[in-house]
Amino acid sequence: MPDLLIELFSEEIPARMQARAAEDLRRGMTDALVAAGLTYAGAAAFSTPRRLALTVQGLPAQSPTTREERKGPRVDAPAQAIEGFLRGAGLTRDQLEVRDEKKGQVYFATITRPGRAAADIVAEELEKLIRNFPWPKSMRWGAGSLRWVRPLHSILCILTDEAGEAQIVDLDVDGIRAGNTTEGHRFMGAGRFAVSSFDDYRARLRREHVILDAVERAEHIWQEAGNQAFASGLEVVEDRGLLSEVAGLVEWPVVLMGRIDDAFLDLPPEVLQTSMKEHQKFFSVKNPKTGRIERFVTVANVETADHGATILAGNQKVLAARLSDAKFFWENDLRIVRERGLEGMAEGLRDVTFHNKLGSQADRVARIEALAREIAPLVGAKPDLAAEAARVAKADLQSAMVGEFPELQGVMGRYYAAAAGHDDGVPEACEEHYKPLGPGDAVPSAPVSVAVALADKIDTLCGFWAIDEKPTGSKDPYALRRAALGVIRLVLGNGVRLSISPILLRRVFLSFYGNPWFDFVANVRELEAHAKRLGFDLSDAKSLDEAAAEMNRKLRSYDPFTGKTKDVDESLIDPAMKKALPRVEDLLAFLHDRLKVHLRDEGIRHDVIDACLAMPGNDDLTLLVRRARALGDFLKTDDGGNLLQGFKRANNILTQAEEKDGVEYSYGADVKFAETDEERALFAALDTAEPAIAAALKAEDFAAAMRAMAALRAPIDAFFEAVQVNAEVQVIRRNRLNLLSSIRRICLQAADLTRIEG
Amino acid sequence: MTDKTEKPRSFQEIILRLQTYWAAQGCAMMQPYDMEVGAGTFHPATTLRSLGSNPWAAAYVQPSRRPTDGRYGENPNRLQHYYQYQVLIKPSPPDLQDLYLGSLRAIGIDMALHDIRFVEDDWESPTLGAWGLGWEVWCDGMEVSQFTYFQQVGGHDCVPVSGELTYGLERLAMYVLGIDHVMDMPFNDPAAPIPLCYGDVFRQTEEEYSRWNFDVANTEVLLRHFEEAEAECQAILAQEAEDPKTGKRIIMAHPAYDQCIKASHIFNLLDARGVISVTERQAYIGRVRALAKKCADAFVRTEAGGQAA
C-alpha cells in the first residue's frame, strides 16, 4: 500500500488563500483518486507561504480491474449498426457473445478494463487539478500559459512503498517536471534536497527551517508571544484572525517584542491596536493593570546573527512613522472638536451622499435626530439628550482618524464627544448606536444609546423600504436584515414598550409626502383596513369616528425638523399615504419574519408566534413576545394541551353548524336552557373566566390569563363527556351552540388558538 | 552567508549601484522620460513596451510627481516630487525574485540581518487600464518595493507577461542610510568637497511646487489643457496609418501616448487644487483610461508592438 506525497512549490502565496488552497488540494485530489478507483486510508494537506503539500496514505498500487457488459444489436441487424456497436465497445466481432433473447439472437459485449497503476492515475489527476485549481485569483507568468496563484516553480510527486522505496510520478506540466526534490527556507535553507516519504519530507523541512503545519506555526507564535509578554508582566491582546494571517506570512516564525515610543502611549488603545494590526501585522501587548497598550509583538521569518535586533529596530522605526501619522490625525481631530464642537466636525457630512435617493449623511442625521427625540421617552431617555447624541453620533465619519481607519467609527466618536464636552451618556451613544452589529454582539442598555441605536436602524429600514430597496435572497447590500434584527434585539433586550407601526408609517409617509406635518382625520375611514393590519389597537373606540380620532392621535406628528405646524396640502396626503401604507405593512411583515427567526432560535414554535401575531398590538414586539412565551409555556402543560383540544372541538362543531345553518351563533347562551349539571358548571366557569381573562390581559399578565383559561379545561372536558350538542330540541341545540361560541370568544381573547397545530 | 558589500553612503550611490546591478543583469539602461508622470510605470518603456510579443529588458530612474503629496518639504517622508527606480523584463524570468533580492544585496541590505517578506499586494492602475498580481516587498516591516507580474495593460492581455519592479528610492535610501528626515539625507558623498543633502537640492522646490499645486495653478487653464490633450490624442490616432508624405506606414502611438500622459498629470494637478468632486473624479479617470487604451491599441499595431512590418 504506497503513500503519496505531493508538493507544489511556488512564489509567495497570499496568506488569506493558503488554508483554503490546502483544503482544495486535499479534497480535489482524494475525490479524483477515489473516482478513478483508488481508495485510501488517510490524507492531510498543509500550506506555507511558498508551498502546498498533500500526503495520502494507504493507496493501492493499482486500481481494480472492472468488467462491463453491454447489450448490442440483433445478429441480423444492419452491418452499420453492428460496426457502430463494435467501435463503441472497442472490440472485434469474434470477441462478441451471442445470446438467445425473446426477439431473437442478440450480440453481447463484455468490456474489461484492466486496473491502472496508481502512478499513472496520480499523474493524470494531478495535472488536471493543477490546470483547474480553484484559486480566487490566478495569473500567468513568463512566456507560458499555465495559471497559478503566483509563478509555480516545482512539483514534487512521489509514491513510497512499504519498503520505503520512493518512485517519482512521471508528470510534466508545461515544462515543470515532477521530481523528488524541494527546497527549504528562502534564506536559511541549504538549497534543493531529495526526500523519500512524507515523514522524511516533514523532518527535512524542519532541518531546513520550515515548519510545514500552519497550525503548529500559529501555536508557536502564540505561545512564544505570550511567554515574552509574561516575562515583562504584560499580556498579548488576543486576535485569532491576525494570528492565522501571520502564520501564513512566515515559514519559520521568530517572535520579537518591541517597545512603543512614549510619545504615542497617550493615543487611545483602539488606535494603537488598529494601526499596528492593519499596517504592520503587529500584535498589541497590554499592561493588565492599566489596560494600556505598551508594546508590540512582530513575527519575523528569519533568525539573525544579532537575534533580531536590526529587524526590531527597523520595525520600530516604521511603527513610529505610522503612529506619527495617527498622532497627527488624533491631535488635529481633537483641535477641531475643541474649537468647533462635533457639530463643526460634522459640517462636511452635507457633502457626503448617503444614498442618491435618500439624500446626504447630514439629511440622514437630521432624520435620526428627530426620531431619537421621539423614541427617547419610551426608553427612559431625556429627549434633548437623545437628540444631542443623534446630532453628533456620525460626526466622527468626517474625522481624519476614521478616514484612515474606517473600522474605528463610533470608537473615535466616543473620544471626540467627550473631548468636546458632551456627557450624560452622549459619548457612549456615539459608540454604541451602531450596536448590536451581529447576532453575537451585545445590546446596549444605556437609555440614550438605545434611543439613538433604534432611531438609526429604524431610519435605515424606513428609508430603504420607501425607495423599494429590500433584501432579496442572499443580496442584502445595505445590511437591512441586520438592522431589523438590531431593532428586535434592542426592543426585547431592554423591554421597550413601543408601538412601532405609527413610527414606521410616519417615516415612510414623510418620504413620499415631502411635507413634514399632516393631519390625518379626513382619511381614516378608507384606511381603516390598513390600520387594523398595522396593528393599531382601536378596540376601545365605540364608533368609527372615535377610531378615527384615535388613529389621528396616534399618527399626528409634530414637524420633526422645525417643531412647527404648517399648512397641509390635502391633495398630497392621499397619494402619499396610499404609497406609504403597503410599504409599511411589508416592512412590519419583514420585522415579524426576522422576529420569528430570532424566536425560533430561542425554541418558541412558529405556530405559537402566528397565534400571537394575529392579535391586536402585534407591532409592540415586547408585548408580542411576552404573549408568545406565556402561550408556549401554557401549551406545554397538561391543562394547556387539553384545553386546546377542547377549544378545537368546540370550534369545529360550531363552525360546521354555522356553515350548515348559515347563521352565526354569537348571541349569549342562556343558563335557563341548560339541562345537565355539566352544562350549568360550564356556564359558571365561563362566567368566572371571562372577566378574569379580560382583567389579566388588560394588565398584560399573560401568565394569569393562561391560568384563567386553564380553569376552563375540566368543565369543557366534562361538558363534552356528558352533553350531546346537537340535541333534538332546537332551542336547546341553539343554546348549546351559543355556549360553544362563548368558549371560542373567551379563548380567542388571549391568542388565536385556531393557528396552533396539533 | 553574509554579504560583505560595503554600505552605500549617499542617495546617489544607491541609484548608481542599482544601475550597475541591473546593467550587469542585461537590462538596457534607459533615461527618465522627459515628461511629468505620476510613477515610473507611465514611462513608455514600461507601459507600451509591456505590450506585444517582443522581448524587452529595461531599467531607469523616473522622477515622479504626485501633487497631492506635497508637504512644503516639512514632512519627513512625503514629497510631491520623488524618484522611482523601475525595472521591466519581458518575459518575466523564472528567477526574478532572486534577481530582485540580489539588487537589495547590491545596495547593502544584508540578508543575514534583515527580514525580507513578499506580502500580497495586487496592483491596479485605473488610469492605464492595467493590473497585475504580485507583492509589496517588506524589509523589517517597511515597504521597499512593488513587485508585479503584469496581466493586462491598456485593456490588452500581456502575452508574454512582464515582470515589473518599482523601488521608491527616497524611502529605500533613507532606510539603508539610517536617515529619519528625507531632507537630511546625503545626496552625494558626505566626504565630497561640496557635500549636498537632499534638502539642499529639493527643499526649496518642494515649497514652491506645494504652493503652486495647492493654491496657485490656474484651474481654468488646466481644464483647457486637459481637453486639448485629450482632443490631440484622439486626433493623432485618427490619422491614417499611411503617411501621405513618405508613403510609409507610420502609426503615431508614442506622440498620442504623450498626450495621454499629459492629460493624466493635469488631472492630478486639478485633483490637488480640489476642484474635482467625487463623482467627477471617476469620470476623469475614465477619460484618461480611454486614451490609454487607444494608445495601447495603436502600439500593438506597430513593429515595436510585435506587429510584423
Side-chain angles (χ1 to χ4, degrees):
Chain A
M1 303 295 268
D3 296 336
L4 171 65
L5 172 63
I6 295 171
E7 185 206 61
L8 304 170
F9 183 84
S10 67
E11 296 177 12
E12 278 75 357
I13 306 166
R16 66 191 170 93
M17 299 178 188
Q18 290 167 18
R20 172 71 192 275
E23 175 57 17
D24 285 339
L25 174 63
R26 187 192 63 75
R27 209 185 35 238
M29 203 58 205
T30 53
D31 284 358
L33 293 177
V34 169
L38 294 181
T39 53
Y40 63 97
F46 305 90
S47 61
T48 78
R50 294 210 290 169
R51 64 198 90 220
L52 298 179
L54 172 69
T55 165
V56 183
Q57 304 101 38
L59 285 171
Q62 57 178 18
S63 62
T65 300
T66 59
R67 280 195 176 73
E68 183 199 346
E69 191 178 87
R70 274 192 209 169
K71 183 179 173 182
R74 280 160 43 145
V75 173
D76 55 2
Q80 272 183 323
I82 294 170
E83 274 160 28
F85 178 64
L86 288 171
R87 255 198 318 278
L91 298 174
T92 54
R93 194 176 294 212
D94 57 325
Q95 291 171 304
L96 295 182
E97 186 192 333
V98 177
R99 286 190 208 158
D100 289 323
E101 297 257 308
K102 274 183 212 157
K103 292 177 189 165
Q105 290 194 307
V106 175
Y107 282 120
F108 274 82
T110 304
I111 305 161
T112 307
R113 291 194 189 86
R116 297 171 60 209
D120 294 346
I121 295 174
V122 166
E124 194 176 303
E125 298 303 337
L126 181 56
E127 177 169 1
K128 264 194 255 170
L129 186 62
I130 290 172
R131 291 192 187 281
N132 302 298
F133 203 80
W135 292 110
K137 249 188 195 172
S138 64
M139 55 165 270
R140 295 170 290 107
W141 61 93
S145 60
L146 189 63
R147 300 188 77 90
W148 199 246
V149 64
R150 292 292 184 277
L152 180 65
H153 280 273
S154 70
I155 301 171
L156 183 158
C157 187
I158 56 171
L159 283 163
T160 310
D161 64 19
E162 277 114 335
E165 285 294 313
Q167 172 203 355
I168 296 172
V169 172
D170 187 17
L171 168 69
D172 185 303
V173 184
D174 282 23
I176 305 172
R177 179 137 215 98
N180 62 350
T181 63
T182 184
E183 57 185 272
H185 191 278
R186 188 190 278 285
F187 300 108
M188 290 185 290
R192 290 200 83 81
F193 56 89
V195 300
S196 59
S197 68
F198 174 68
D199 289 340
D200 182 34
Y201 169 73
R202 189 177 184 139
R204 280 300 301 271
L205 277 181
R206 187 175 291 270
R207 284 210 291 282
E208 300 286 334
H209 294 92
V210 174
I211 298 176
L212 180 61
D213 189 346
V215 175
E216 191 186 332
R217 293 196 300 274
E219 278 168 3
H220 172 83
I221 292 167
W222 185 244
Q223 199 167 7
E224 184 60 27
N227 289 346
Q228 291 190 21
F230 181 78
S232 304
L234 305 171
E235 60 189 39
V236 185
V237 178
E238 188 168 339
D239 188 334
R240 297 202 162 272
L242 181 61
L243 182 59
S244 79
E245 186 183 356
V246 170
L249 288 172
V250 292
E251 294 200 309
W252 190 255
V254 176
V255 174
L256 301 168
M257 186 166 72
R259 286 177 181 281
I260 299 169
D261 195 297
D262 288 345
F264 306 117
L265 290 180
D266 291 332
L267 282 169
E270 294 93 338
V271 171
L272 286 171
Q273 211 174 325
T274 307
S275 174
M276 294 201 294
K277 173 187 173 163
E278 293 305 313
H279 292 310
Q280 303 302 129
K281 319 284 183 209
F282 288 172
F283 292 92
S284 296
V285 180
K286 73 174 176 194
N287 184 332
K289 290 185 206 91
T290 60
R292 281 210 321 184
I293 290 172
E294 296 179 350
R295 298 196 192 182
F296 66 87
V297 158
T298 182
V299 183
N301 187 36
V302 68
E303 284 173 9
T304 60
D306 63 357
H307 306 287
T310 307
I311 296 173
L312 203 52
N315 275 287
Q316 245 153 347
K317 197 166 187 171
V318 180
L319 179 65
R322 293 287 190 189
L323 293 183
S324 299
D325 276 352
K327 195 175 156 104
F328 173 77
F329 297 146
W330 166 245
E331 285 168 356
N332 212 35
D333 289 344
L334 282 179
R335 189 177 49 73
I336 290 173
V337 296
R338 283 187 185 131
E339 282 171 13
R340 300 168 53 213
L342 278 174
E343 289 88 345
M345 180 176 265
E347 261 169 27
L349 290 177
R350 247 175 291 163
D351 304 323
V352 183
T353 307
F354 169 57
H355 183 285
N356 59 11
K357 291 183 184 166
L358 296 173
S360 69
Q361 288 281 21
D363 296 333
R364 178 183 174 213
V365 167
R367 293 194 301 266
I368 296 172
E369 185 188 336
L371 201 44
R373 185 184 285 282
E374 188 177 337
I375 292 170
L378 303 169
V379 300
K382 286 187 188 141
D384 284 346
L385 273 180
E388 178 188 327
R391 198 158 52 238
V392 300
K394 305 278 185 201
D396 68 345
L397 295 180
Q398 286 299 103
S399 68
M401 188 71 86
V402 174
E404 181 73 9
F405 300 112
E407 59 269 55
L408 288 178
Q409 68 173 20
V411 172
M412 296 324 296
R414 189 185 78 221
Y415 284 110
Y416 295 149
H422 294 275
D423 53 10
D424 285 334
V426 172
E428 289 71 21
C430 288
E431 178 172 13
E432 293 179 341
H433 83 281
Y434 289 105
K435 290 172 176 277
L437 282 171
D441 196 22
V443 176
S445 56
V448 178
S449 299
V450 174
V452 184
L454 274 173
D456 188 14
K457 289 165 184 65
I458 290 173
D459 176 70
T460 299
L461 289 168
C462 289
F464 285 100
W465 249 259
I467 61 170
D468 208 17
E469 284 268 10
K470 298 178 287 186
T472 50
S474 60
K475 286 210 186 88
D476 185 8
Y478 305 109
L480 300 177
R481 290 194 182 97
R482 190 170 79 189
L485 182 63
V487 170
I488 289 165
R489 292 188 59 210
L490 281 160
V491 167
L492 299 184
N494 291 293
V496 176
R497 296 302 307 279
L498 168 71
S499 189
I500 208 167
S501 289
I503 293 174
L504 302 180
L505 182 59
R506 193 153 48 235
R507 292 291 131 188
V508 178
F509 172 84
L510 287 178
S511 68
F512 289 115
Y513 182 59
N515 186 333
W517 188 87
F518 71 101
D519 189 284
F520 195 55
V521 180
N523 305 287
V524 169
R525 283 163 203 275
E526 58 179 296
L527 299 168
E528 245 254 333
H530 287 304
K532 259 191 195 150
R533 270 177 281 164
L534 283 169
F536 290 131
D537 184 5
L538 304 177
S539 57
D540 288 343
K542 296 281 186 299
S543 67
L544 200 57
D545 284 342
E546 211 177 309
E550 174 72 2
M551 279 280 278
N552 185 39
R553 193 179 61 72
K554 284 176 185 292
L555 285 166
R556 185 196 304 273
S557 173
Y558 53 85
D559 176 345
F561 300 105
T562 64
K564 289 177 194 155
T565 56
K566 286 183 184 170
D567 290 331
V568 181
D569 184 347
E570 296 280 348
S571 69
L572 291 177
I573 290 181
D574 278 9
M577 190 50 98
K578 275 181 181 144
K579 272 191 216 156
L581 278 162
R583 300 277 168 90
V584 172
E585 281 173 28
D586 191 61
L587 176 52
L588 187 61
F590 180 76
L591 278 170
H592 283 154
D593 278 346
R594 302 327 295 168
L595 179 68
K596 279 189 202 178
V597 173
H598 179 65
L599 292 181
R600 191 175 56 210
D601 297 343
E602 266 189 39
I604 299 182
R605 283 160 38 186
H606 71 94
D607 55 339
V608 168
I609 301 166
D610 282 337
C612 298
L613 277 178
M615 305 307 290
N618 71 5
D619 68 328
D620 179 338
L621 303 180
T622 298
L623 190 73
L624 177 65
V625 171
R626 269 196 224 155
R627 193 193 293 267
R629 289 221 172 88
L631 178 60
D633 291 346
F634 176 57
L635 290 175
K636 280 182 206 146
T637 65
D638 191 43
D639 278 349
N642 281 296
L643 178 85
L644 180 67
Q645 294 315 317
F647 166 81
K648 290 207 159 181
R649 192 166 170 188
N651 190 41
N652 286 341
I653 295 170
L654 186 59
T655 310
Q656 278 169 19
E658 284 179 336
E659 269 173 27
K660 187 170 154 234
D661 304 346
V663 291
E664 197 179 309
Y665 291 102
S666 54
Y667 307 105
D670 196 332
V671 73
K672 76 182 177 202
F673 297 115
E675 288 191 328
T676 63
D677 287 346
E678 287 81 0
E679 247 177 311
R680 276 185 286 274
L682 183 54
F683 268 104
L686 287 170
D687 282 347
T688 314
E690 184 163 17
I693 293 173
L697 289 176
K698 190 153 186 147
E700 295 174 353
D701 185 349
F702 296 107
M706 299 299 163
R707 275 198 302 280
M709 282 218 299
L712 291 174
R713 177 222 163 161
I716 290 174
D717 284 356
F719 171 80
F720 281 124
E721 191 76 20
V723 177
Q724 172 85 26
V725 175
N726 286 312
E728 297 289 328
V729 184
Q730 279 305 307
V731 176
I732 298 204
R733 177 175 175 266
R734 273 202 301 276
N735 196 53
R736 284 176 182 166
L737 287 169
N738 279 323
L739 184 59
L740 295 189
S741 178
S742 299
I743 296 176
R744 181 166 69 182
R745 189 187 70 245
I746 289 165
C747 289
L748 286 182
Q749 284 183 87
D752 187 353
L753 298 181
T754 61
R755 291 175 192 257
I756 302 291
E757 291 165 5
Chain B
M1 193 171 68
T2 323
D3 298 64
K4 295 288 180 203
T5 322
E6 220 179 295
K7 286 265 177 203
R9 282 169 300 183
S10 66
F11 184 54
Q12 71 190 29
E13 190 179 347
I14 287 173
I15 297 175
L16 290 169
R17 287 199 193 181
L18 285 173
Q19 293 280 57
T20 310
Y21 177 82
W22 285 108
Q25 308 310 320
C27 287
M29 292 295 104
M30 306 277 294
Q31 300 302 320
Y33 203 55
D34 58 344
M35 289 187 68
E36 298 142 314
V37 295
T41 309
F42 277 84
H43 196 308
T46 291
T47 314
L48 296 182
R49 294 293 177 154
S50 65
L51 293 162
S53 54
N54 291 342
W56 184 254
Y60 53 89
V61 176
Q62 180 62 50
S64 306
R65 299 188 187 220
R66 297 199 176 160
T68 44
D69 280 354
R71 296 290 184 275
Y72 300 84
E74 286 162 9
N75 188 289
N77 304 298
R78 280 192 200 276
L79 301 160
Q80 57 82 40
H81 172 283
Y82 64 105
Y83 290 104
Q84 285 193 342
Y85 195 84
Q86 175 88 358
V87 179
L88 189 86
I89 306 180
K90 178 175 77 170
S92 63
D95 58 347
L96 188 57
Q97 278 189 317
D98 289 335
L99 289 177
Y100 168 75
L101 292 172
S103 75
L104 294 187
R105 285 190 191 97
I107 58 172
I109 294 180
D110 181 353
M111 300 296 156
L113 287 177
H114 294 277
D115 182 34
I116 307 293
R117 230 83 76 64
F118 293 84
V119 180
E120 178 192 15
D121 190 35
D122 300 342
W123 171 81
E124 190 184 8
S125 168
T127 39
L128 288 176
W131 69 276
L133 299 190
W135 312 273
E136 50 182 49
V137 185
W138 286 11
C139 176
D140 304 334
M142 189 179 71
E143 184 192 343
V144 290
S145 302
Q146 191 78 31
F147 191 129
T148 308
Y149 291 102
F150 278 7
Q151 302 295 300
Q152 243 187 19
V153 171
H156 291 259
D157 280 343
C158 297
V159 185
V161 168
S162 300
E164 183 210 45
L165 306 172
T166 303
Y167 308 70
L169 281 172
E170 282 82 356
R171 186 147 41 149
L172 179 62
M174 282 167 69
Y175 190 70
V176 171
L177 301 172
I179 304 293
D180 291 327
H181 197 298
V182 63
M183 293 300 168
D184 299 336
M185 178 161 62
F187 201 100
N188 62 357
D189 192 327
I194 304 175
L196 295 168
C197 68
Y198 199 92
D200 295 329
V201 183
F202 284 119
R203 193 191 304 278
Q204 183 176 326
T205 53
E206 279 299 309
E207 223 174 56
E208 292 175 7
Y209 277 102
S210 293
R211 181 173 177 200
W212 182 71
N213 292 338
F214 288 129
D215 301 318
V216 178
N218 185 325
T219 57
E220 269 172 48
V221 171
L222 289 172
L223 282 166
R224 199 173 69 233
H225 283 350
F226 183 91
E227 309 279 343
E228 285 166 358
E230 185 184 40
E232 178 65 7
C233 180
Q234 288 162 340
I236 295 170
L237 294 174
Q239 297 292 314
E240 290 295 329
E242 197 186 287
D243 173 24
K245 198 167 83 191
T246 62
K248 286 185 184 170
R249 184 171 178 273
I250 306 177
I251 295 170
M252 295 164 286
H254 287 80
Y257 181 62
D258 284 353
Q259 299 301 319
C260 170
I261 294 178
K262 202 172 273 184
S264 174
H265 178 64
I266 294 168
F267 160 72
N268 288 340
L269 282 171
L270 287 167
D271 198 23
R273 288 286 279 112
V275 294
I276 293 179
S277 75
V278 181
T279 34
E280 284 174 322
R281 220 184 125 75
Q282 288 312 312
Y284 272 101
I285 290 173
R287 284 164 73 179
V288 178
R289 183 169 55 237
L291 297 181
K293 283 190 169 172
K294 280 191 179 160
C295 294
D297 293 346
F299 180 74
V300 297
R301 289 167 53 224
T302 68
E303 201 180 329
Q307 185 84 305

